[in-house]
Amino acid sequence: MLDAACGKGTVARRLLAGIAGRIDLVLLDAAPRMLAECHDIPARRITACMTDLPFGPNQFDLVTCAWGIEVLDDPRPALREFIRVTRPAGHVCIVFCADRPAQSFVGRALRRHISRSGRGRFLDHEMLREFAIATGARHVQTLHCTGPAAAMIVHV
């Protein structure tokens, strides 16, 4: 499994807590200080950018990226890379800030906070879905999220 833009390792910790047995985990982040925050996670750590992954094709059964691609000027190269390094019948799971309207007060407040903080932008969910299909995904499944969040599972 590859956790791209792993940050402080929140996703990796949650996944490891729910899995019985050993998992071959790679944590990737462009910031060495983020990888240092993951010192307690049993994983290989790699400093690299998600738009140019240092792996050959078909290396991972699962690639995750939560709250990472929206900081890129263009998220498509990262999504292309995620699909490239995922084995056939594997999955890419991404969570990101979506450009759809927030329905609740909390969702609107989060949207304002994200906009003002400068920590990314809101991505076109449909554009990412179409790009994943054009890049070779067999199917893209959208998961229900609230607030400004969107999540999709790309079946490779």
Side-chain angles (χ1 to χ4, degrees):
M1 178 188 143
L2 170 65
D3 185 7
C6 67
K8 295 180 179 183
T10 303
V11 171
R13 282 187 186 86
R14 285 184 180 174
L15 286 171
L16 289 171
I19 295 175
R22 176 146 161 56
I23 183 170
D24 185 13
L25 176 61
V26 177
L27 301 174
L28 180 134
D29 205 286
R33 76 178 199 291
M34 287 292 124
L35 290 170
E37 295 276 341
C38 302
H39 64 87
D40 60 315
I41 300 172
R44 188 167 47 132
R45 291 159 199 71
I46 296 180
T47 304
C49 181
M50 63 186 135
T51 60
D52 186 22
L53 296 176
F55 310 108
N58 307 324
Q59 297 293 306
F60 299 96
D61 295 310
L62 174 64
V63 174
T64 62
C65 182
W67 312 113
I69 63 171
E70 63 268 28
V71 302
L72 301 170
D73 290 334
D74 183 357
R76 292 174 294 186
L79 185 53
R80 180 184 301 115
E81 282 290 275
F82 298 161
I83 292 170
R84 180 185 67 80
V85 302
T86 302
R87 291 184 180 116
H91 299 88
V92 175
C93 181
I94 58 174
V95 180
F96 56 93
C97 294
D99 64 352
R100 54 187 173 210
Q103 302 298 321
S104 68
F105 172 77
V106 172
R108 288 189 298 275
L110 279 169
R111 191 171 177 82
R112 266 192 309 280
H113 173 71
I114 292 165
S115 295
R116 291 179 181 163
S117 71
R119 293 188 201 152
R121 57 196 181 91
F122 296 92
L123 302 178
D124 183 333
H125 177 268
E126 186 60 24
M127 178 274 296
L128 287 175
R129 190 191 70 72
E130 290 173 5
F131 183 78
I133 296 293
T135 306
R138 288 183 298 116
H139 175 69
V140 177
Q141 179 181 359
T142 300
L143 304 177
H144 175 72
C145 296
T146 60
M152 60 176 59
I153 299 176
V154 178
H155 302 263
V156 179

